Amino acid sequence: MSATNTGVPPTERDPSGHPEDCPVREVLDRVGDKWSVLIIVMLGRRTHRYSELDRAIEGISQRMLTLTLRALVRDGLVERTVHASVPPRVDYALTELGRTLLEPLTALDHWANRHRDDIRAARERHDRQQG
Amino acid sequence: MSATNTGVPPTERDPSGHPEDCPVREVLDRVGDKWSVLIIVMLGRRTHRYSELDRAIEGISQRMLTLTLRALVRDGLVERTVHASVPPRVDYALTELGRTLLEPLTALDHWANRHRDDIRAARERHDRQQG
DNA sequence: CGGAATCCTGCGAGATACTG
DNA sequence: CAGTATCTCGCAGGATTCCG
């Protein structure tokens, strides 16, 4: 992956112009919501149970935690394991597929860390010129 | 970039548990919306003028095109150039910073292409078991 | 403990019409 | 051509309550 990619077409599958079924967007539609990435990142560290995620992610509602987990399970990114015990215990972990997603997300994470100051600077510069 | 990253912590900056200011999320908050990536991808190919983007992206409203472009310019990802001619002409191009973002987005794109079938399969499998 | 079922709300975003 | 300005509505997502 070259560092200087001037004119590298990110998607080759639509030379006609309008990338309607653009694969990047397809992922972002699934994972670009408010909580999915956060959960994936958490599960990337280790397996968590429901209540752990609930407490760790702070700000998420039970509703959204459930819905997001369900969607991730449905897409085969997360695996749900119910332990038949009392009190009940449910573990969530990344699947093999989910772990492969961690890689490009890490790339994005690195970009964010490297350039967050650039963005802040650009934003301030822009805002100072014309509120 | 290793292919097998079992247990690689995607973000090292928050061992305490709750990644509230998670940098990945910060990027996704900016670029995970409906149109930003599409525009970035288009501008990654070449410079476009306003009306070209309007036609190419198909489905976007003038309102959203304007708003999205404005946000991208503000964050220093896109550069706006007004040519003093009549009729007026405005060109949009990626900045150097914007071009660096193309790289991790490409990584995500590759992931999408490699695994879109896996996701579809997992989804169908899941839906067939319990509609 | 791990959810499911409702109710309610803000705002993301489309449609349409107008302007320098 | 390259945008504003409104008006509108759907639905993502929060709060709350109940269930096995």
Side-chain angles (χ1 to χ4, degrees), chain B residues 48-118:
Chain B
H48 284 71
R49 50 193 300 188
Y50 183 89
S51 50
E52 286 177 331
L53 290 172
D54 197 13
R55 265 175 282 110
I57 295 195
E58 182 182 22
I60 197 172
S61 61
Q62 289 196 337
R63 172 191 151 85
M64 285 318 292
L65 180 54
T66 301
L67 287 181
T68 308
L69 282 172
R70 228 199 318 239
L72 293 173
V73 168
R74 186 170 109 101
D75 290 348
L77 297 171
V78 165
E79 184 181 23
R80 189 184 117 118
T81 316
V82 184
H83 296 90
S85 64
V86 45
R89 175 202 182 93
V90 180
D91 281 345
Y92 290 94
L94 288 185
T95 60
E96 188 54 41
L97 182 60
R99 247 172 282 128
T100 66
L101 179 54
L102 222 45
E103 226 188 304
L105 287 185
T106 303
L108 216 57
D109 183 64
H110 283 33
W111 187 92
N113 280 314
R114 266 201 292 275
H115 298 293
R116 63 166 17 173
D117 287 343
D118 298 339

Side-chain angles (χ1 to χ4, degrees), chain A residues 88-112:
Chain A
R89 175 204 181 90
V90 181
D91 280 346
Y92 290 93
L94 287 186
T95 62
E96 188 55 42
L97 182 60
R99 249 171 281 128
T100 66
L101 179 55
L102 223 45
E103 225 189 304
L105 286 186
T106 302
L108 216 58
D109 183 65
H110 283 32
W111 187 92

Side-chain angles (χ1 to χ4, degrees), chain B residues 27-41:
Chain B
V27 195
L28 288 178
D29 281 341
R30 259 294 22 260
V31 127
D33 65 279
K34 201 172 178 184
W35 303 109
S36 289
V37 169
L38 240 36
I39 292 179
I40 291 175
V41 165

Side-chain angles (χ1 to χ4, degrees), chain A residues 7-87:
Chain A
V8 173
T11 170
E12 212 58 272
R13 50 202 339 285
D14 190 18
S16 63
H18 43 289
E20 267 322 282
D21 59 338
C22 175
V24 207
R25 274 245 42 86
E26 209 170 308
V27 195
L28 289 177
D29 282 342
R30 260 292 24 258
V31 128
D33 65 280
K34 200 172 177 183
W35 304 109
S36 289
V37 169
L38 240 36
I39 292 179
I40 291 175
V41 165
M42 291 298 297
L43 297 184
R45 297 181 186 169
R46 61 172 176 82
T47 295
H48 284 72
R49 50 192 300 190
Y50 184 89
S51 50
E52 285 177 332
L53 290 173
D54 198 13
R55 265 175 283 110
I57 296 196
E58 182 184 20
I60 196 171
S61 60
Q62 288 196 342
R63 173 190 152 84
M64 284 320 291
L65 180 56
T66 301
L67 288 181
T68 308
L69 281 172
R70 205 162 23 201
L72 292 173
V73 168
R74 187 170 108 102
D75 290 348
L77 297 172
V78 165
E79 184 181 22
R80 190 184 116 117
T81 315
V82 183
H83 296 89
S85 62
V86 45

